[in-house]
Amino acid sequence: MDGLLTVTESGTESGTKAGSGIRTEDHAGIDVVAEARELVAGLSAEPWGQVSASPYETGRVVSLAPWLAGHATRVEFLLDTQRPDGGWGCSGDHALVPTLSAVEALLVELGREGSSDRALLAKAVERGLEAIGNRSFQAGWPPDTPAVELIVASLFALIDGHLDGEGPQPPLGAGGAKLTAVRAWLMSGAPIPQKLVHALEVAGPEAIAASGILPTPMPGGMAAVGASPGASAAWLASPPEAGPGAEDRAARRTRDETAVRRYLEAVVASSGGPMPCTLPIAVFERGWTLSWLRRAGIPLDVPPRLVASLRDGLGPEGIATGPGLPADADTTSVALYALALLDEPREPEGLWPFELETHFCTWRGEEGMSPTTNAHVLDAFGEYLRRRGGEPRHAAVVAKLSAWLRDRQEADGSWTDRWHVSPYYATACCAIALREFGGGESAGAVGGAVDWVLATQRGDGSWGRWEGTAEETAYALQILLLTDAARDGRWRQAVERGYRHLLAARGGEAPSLWVDKDLYLPMAIVRAAVLGALHLARRALAIPEDDSY
């Protein structure tokens, strides 16, 4: 048995496993339950979480903190990840932010004494500036990413300063008026929205110094600013706060600087040098990972300390993804849903602060709205009702959110969202939640999602927005397998082809599709989604569990 599972051309059952339409030539190494258990064990071994390196955040640390260990590795990372077209990150409008950051950082590095391989740095800067100037990846600007207008305006201004006023011009709408207003607000000493601290690097050293922002303490004598290496490096690079009482604040500043340096050193130790946009992400990672695995029905023994890490941080105001970030409804709802699936249902009190008239905001003061956040809130309330009965107000939330999600569905049957660039993720979140808790009124919306998935499968059996990926194929399969879709020949063929592709692709390189200041990949979460899809497909296709399990 030395090959992958293959679909028979005739669709007959000859040579198949349990009449699945799939011929088994090799299941070696495909032990889904064992891999899921290994994944769960790894959540404890990586207490800060596992997230990909960010060209944007790495560029900010190269520019602001050359003293930090791993500096040469970060510069090398920027040089190595430049695309053939001169940009960084993914293609399209999401490339502008990481490209601006990398170019600005390499310009700073080029001007430093002792920089190695100046010709290579200069060539990378030249190619990056050409990419920015030709605007080929700005057609849909601005993408819906956190603080995008502020980040773009600040980086264009920095690049222009390095080039003595000869830098490329920003796209329409990024002229800097909003950034100027934000900096003036910080200089005034007025209260600061906590979410803004995540992108504090846009403010500049003087505004940061005047803002009075303090790092958030963490265990181990560390402290972070907005759970962001870039924001933390920017805070360190700002001068001490001046004015009355400056001498009394000096000792606190020294302590905080030491704690923030320890945080950045710990990030380097975790990442090897290049920087993620957000770290730690433990609650976020554990909630999503355990939810995908348990929802798929994979049998797991979850260590009590992992369950406690979800439970202990919950309160009446919700829970945050990381230190220095505001509590948010997305992380809170997924933590609550995961706890319910782990047989610890809790009244979702931490979600009430995010309730609006028609839906729930991701965090208070959010500009925009998120269907996936609301699908996760629907999961949390719906599962609580199913297990505990709840109250009329809980049932009212379920009805309200179900109607709101149905109204957000696209004409083709899909959903899109601001926290993930793929409609397959958004559609999986919304369609599965509506199937579970949306009642009979949601049957048409769920059916439309299934039809969209069946219509958009690629020739190789995969699904994906830009290209077929294992992650997006996993979401598409979960839509087909968790919504009680009509299991006719078309459905079966789609599942078989998707399963075969997922087996072949699951060990390959995964793209960054999740949205922060630039796009990122939460490795454990995506792996859990893939394992969940494999487990569901094996059950649906009647592949016996004792075959490689």
Side-chain angles (χ1 to χ4, degrees):
M1 295 171 58
D2 295 318
L4 289 173
L5 299 178
T6 56
V7 181
T8 62
E9 291 184 7
S10 65
T12 67
E13 297 181 5
S14 175
T16 67
K17 275 291 178 184
S20 66
I22 294 180
R23 185 162 47 222
T24 305
E25 295 180 349
D26 186 357
H27 282 291
I30 311 300
D31 189 337
V32 176
V33 173
E35 289 191 27
R37 289 171 177 166
E38 177 191 14
L39 175 59
V40 171
L43 298 179
S44 297
E46 297 283 350
W48 278 18
Q50 304 163 69
V51 62
S52 62
S54 157
Y56 168 79
E57 206 82 4
T58 301
R60 295 305 80 225
V61 174
V62 165
S63 183
L64 293 163
W67 49 265
L68 182 64
H71 177 74
T73 303
R74 284 186 287 280
V75 173
E76 184 179 0
F77 168 79
L78 293 179
L79 294 173
D80 288 347
T81 55
Q82 189 172 25
R83 298 198 317 256
D85 67 357
W88 277 265
C90 73
S91 59
D93 53 350
H94 287 88
L96 181 57
V97 164
T99 299
L100 288 170
S101 181
V103 167
E104 195 277 336
L106 295 178
L107 277 168
V108 172
E109 184 67 13
L110 193 58
R112 287 181 176 132
E113 291 186 13
S115 295
S116 59
D117 211 337
R118 299 176 64 82
L120 186 60
L121 289 170
K123 183 62 177 175
V125 167
E126 179 184 358
R127 293 174 57 224
L129 288 170
E130 288 176 357
I132 295 168
N134 67 28
R135 305 293 172 91
S136 62
F137 49 68
Q138 297 177 32
W141 196 88
D144 188 8
T145 59
V148 61
E149 300 95 337
L150 305 177
I151 289 170
V152 168
S154 67
L155 289 173
F156 267 106
L158 287 171
I159 291 170
D160 197 51
H162 297 319
L163 299 176
D164 297 324
E166 298 297 323
Q169 294 302 303
L172 212 59
K178 187 173 182 179
L179 178 62
T180 299
V182 166
R183 287 176 171 171
W185 183 270
L186 292 170
M187 293 289 291
S188 73
I192 300 158
Q194 190 66 28
K195 189 64 178 177
L196 176 61
V197 180
H198 184 53
L200 187 65
E201 65 272 11
V202 305
E206 291 79 15
I208 293 173
S211 69
I213 288 172
L214 296 175
T216 301
M218 298 169 56
M222 292 179 280
V225 177
S228 160
S232 298
W235 184 88
L236 279 175
S238 67
E241 186 181 355
E247 292 184 6
D248 295 336
R249 292 191 295 270
R252 168 65 186 264
R253 170 78 185 197
T254 299
R255 291 194 300 271
D256 285 345
E257 285 179 351
T258 300
V260 173
R261 285 173 180 265
R262 286 176 178 165
Y263 162 73
L264 290 173
E265 290 162 357
V267 176
V268 170
S270 172
S271 69
M275 294 287 171
C277 269
T278 306
L279 208 70
I281 61 162
V283 175
F284 163 66
E285 178 183 80
R286 292 170 183 182
W288 265 257
T289 298
L290 294 173
S291 293
W292 281 124
L293 296 176
R294 289 303 291 260
R295 192 169 219 166
I298 297 177
L300 295 170
D301 291 322
V302 180
R305 62 183 175 276
L306 286 185
V307 180
S309 70
L310 296 176
R311 179 184 62 237
D312 294 348
L314 287 168
E317 298 300 314
I319 194 170
T321 294
L325 292 174
D328 68 85
D330 210 17
T331 307
T332 302
S333 58
V334 175
L336 287 164
Y337 181 64
L339 285 169
L341 295 183
L342 295 167
D343 298 321
E344 287 203 21
R346 297 169 62 89
E347 202 283 324
E349 62 170 348
L351 289 173
W352 296 117
F354 305 99
E355 186 178 19
L356 303 175
E357 183 177 354
T358 59
H359 65 288
F360 282 63
C361 56
T362 305
W363 66 83
R364 282 169 283 188
E366 178 185 22
E367 296 178 3
M369 57 189 68
S370 166
T372 64
T373 292
N374 284 272
H376 295 144
V377 175
L378 176 57
D379 284 335
F381 277 95
E383 193 66 29
Y384 179 74
L385 275 169
R386 178 152 60 191
R387 291 172 180 263
R388 289 290 177 86
E391 303 171 10
R393 62 174 182 161
H394 299 128
V397 164
V398 167
K400 176 171 79 172
L401 291 183
S402 298
W404 188 85
L405 287 173
R406 293 193 297 268
D407 288 345
R408 305 273 90 68
Q409 189 174 25
E410 303 288 340
D412 63 4
S414 68
W415 280 266
T416 59
D417 194 69
R418 62 188 321 197
W419 301 124
H420 199 290
V421 296
S422 174
Y424 293 97
Y425 171 77
T427 304
C429 293
C430 296
I432 295 169
L434 286 173
R435 167 61 187 84
E436 289 284 328
F437 308 113
E441 302 91 335
S442 300
V446 174
V450 170
D451 289 341
W452 173 74
V453 169
L454 292 172
T456 56
Q457 189 173 25
R458 293 172 177 266
D460 63 358
S462 69
W463 283 270
R465 174 180 173 177
W466 292 309
E467 60 183 354
T469 69
E471 179 184 356
E472 291 167 282
T473 299
Y475 299 141
L477 285 172
Q478 297 214 26
I479 294 166
L480 296 178
L481 295 163
L482 286 172
T483 60
D484 287 342
R487 302 196 170 194
D488 54 15
R490 183 184 179 203
W491 174 93
R492 189 171 199 84
Q493 184 183 48
V495 172
E496 289 173 347
R497 293 173 61 225
Y499 177 50
R500 181 184 63 180
H501 179 85
L502 198 54
L503 285 175
R506 70 193 188 100
E509 185 176 351
S512 296
L513 301 173
W514 295 66
V515 175
D516 198 334
K517 288 182 276 188
D518 65 353
L519 301 186
Y520 70 100
L521 169 68
M523 280 86 88
I525 293 172
V526 170
R527 187 179 171 199
V530 170
L531 290 172
L534 286 170
H535 183 75
L536 288 165
R538 289 173 70 94
R539 289 196 312 184
L541 298 173
I543 298 172
E545 289 196 5
D546 59 1
D547 188 9
S548 84
Y549 265 44

